[in-house]
Amino acid sequence: MAEEPLPDASPSARATDLRPADAWLARHGLSGARATPLLAGRLAVRGRARLAAAMIPALLIVASALAAVPAFDGREPHRPLPLLALTALVAGLLLAQSLLDWWVRRVDQRAAATLSRRAAHPIQPSWRTVLGLPYAVFAVATLAGAMALAGSALAVPGPTVRQLAVVLLIGLLGVTVITAVQLRHLLRRPVVAEDEESLTADVIMRVEDARDLTTPSVQWALPMVLLFGTAPGWLSAAAVANVILGVVAYVALRARTPSSATVARRVMSVR
């Protein structure tokens, strides 16, 4: 890994960032490697981008709840203005996520430009390597379950529940597009490595980022916020069951699948 700091990331290359980088290496079984300003800078930027990205689903959940307020209190639930505002917000959140991805990608590109040499056989992992089939199936199943709840709500007589179902659909479609944009960025991100250790670290970061994308916060929270207690009892029970089954599946998935470090070492062994 390169010794010189990134040319445009002086805060990221500070000595205070080296200690978390050393801890990150040790946590992933790379305690023999020494943290460099380049790795520390990349990890610091990812931490800040991840913190900012965590606000996006929170804003989407809050905005969806606000868009559903007319339906909750019985004030003209068929008015299109809240739905249009929610759609515009989803577009704005998509733009914000794209800018965050561009920022991380730009830092990686500039980091790659500082390397005195690149890894002899750089790899560009596919989605099967970065995300993995079990996580991909879980993400699709989680979305399908939330969409099924929204579709069931649309079939319920009464404008209130239908309005809530439309809000739920807009939120779910929005988070799906945002996640797809994140995954596309992750797969196209440049490989930044000059030796085997830094290449392993690069793969670990990709796998961790991809697995974070499968955390279904919006897919679990929105049906509960919008349908529980408002929709018919069977639909509220289905929303609760969706969360319980999803949490059980997610815990089992995290416990039974190899760690990101193990995946990275397997990639390196067949390189």
Side-chain angles (χ1 to χ4, degrees), residues 115-187:
L115 295 178
S116 57
R117 63 186 179 90
R118 301 295 295 274
H121 300 286
I123 55 177
Q124 192 71 32
S126 66
W127 71 268
R128 281 183 173 271
T129 300
V130 173
L131 181 60
L133 185 59
Y135 279 89
V137 171
F138 172 75
V140 172
T142 300
L143 176 63
M147 285 291 189
L149 290 173
S152 300
L154 279 175
V156 173
T160 297
V161 177
R162 289 180 179 176
Q163 174 84 354
L164 296 176
V166 173
V167 173
L168 178 57
L169 283 174
I170 293 174
L172 292 175
L173 291 174
V175 75
T176 300
V177 173
I178 290 171
T179 301
V181 168
Q182 289 178 282
L183 184 59
R184 178 176 178 271
H185 155 76
L186 190 62
L187 295 175

Side-chain angles (χ1 to χ4, degrees), residues 86-108:
L86 179 60
T87 304
L89 177 68
V90 168
L93 294 178
L94 177 60
L95 176 60
Q97 183 61 61
S98 298
L99 291 175
L100 284 173
D101 293 340
W102 172 83
W103 176 40
V104 174
R105 185 178 178 86
R106 178 174 176 271
V107 169
D108 282 349

